[in-house]
Amino acid sequence: MLIGVSAAGSAVAQEPTDLNTITVLAPRITYQTTRDRESAIPKKLEIAQKSAMVDYGDLDLTRTADLYTLKGRVEAAATRICGELTELFPDGTPSTTVCTRRATDDAMAQVERTARNASR
């Protein structure tokens, strides 16, 4: 079962849908198990995800200070949506810390591509 939850803000990176936004996307995986003769057999796998859009329209991505500002926005969005997923699915994986790091890293790849294009 796939559960999609989106929020305004950022999680695992996707291509931006707007020219001045970065998409942050965070997934969370949960298993429901049942016992059959002393073994745990995965019964159902659920993948939930949240996404957030981070706006950078007010920033000049050719400036290092503005790139740091955008990184901070991405990290804040990843922290928020990973925390929300942890609250919704406390037994899921990855951990909130790992989720936040991965979502931030993936979104920063978008930031780097966008910054390279801005400096051309």
Side-chain angles (χ1 to χ4, degrees):
M1 174 193 262
L2 177 65
I3 302 172
V5 184
S6 63
S10 300
V12 173
Q14 297 175 337
E15 290 303 312
T17 56
D18 184 275
L19 293 177
N20 294 315
T21 61
I22 298 295
T23 303
V24 182
L25 178 65
R28 187 135 177 108
I29 301 169
T30 63
Y31 297 93
Q32 292 186 0
T33 58
T34 185
R35 294 277 177 194
D36 182 26
R37 296 185 189 165
E38 304 294 325
S39 69
I41 300 171
K43 196 69 163 167
K44 183 167 70 170
L45 169 73
E46 292 182 331
I47 302 173
Q49 63 181 326
K50 279 190 167 266
S51 65
M53 303 301 290
V54 176
D55 184 55
Y56 63 87
D58 60 326
L59 302 175
D60 177 355
L61 299 185
T62 62
R63 295 179 32 148
T64 303
D66 285 357
L67 283 172
Y68 279 112
T69 299
L70 181 53
K71 181 179 181 186
R73 291 177 187 178
V74 166
E75 289 172 343
T79 299
R80 180 178 50 81
I81 59 177
C82 288
E84 291 171 1
L85 281 171
T86 299
E87 287 180 27
L88 290 170
F89 304 97
D91 295 329
T93 59
S95 69
T96 306
T97 303
V98 172
C99 174
T100 301
R101 186 185 73 239
R102 289 178 182 169
T104 299
D105 289 349
D106 288 347
M108 288 308 295
Q110 283 182 64
V111 170
E112 291 169 12
R113 281 192 306 272
T114 303
R116 275 195 306 271
N117 290 337
S119 64
R120 290 181 184 177

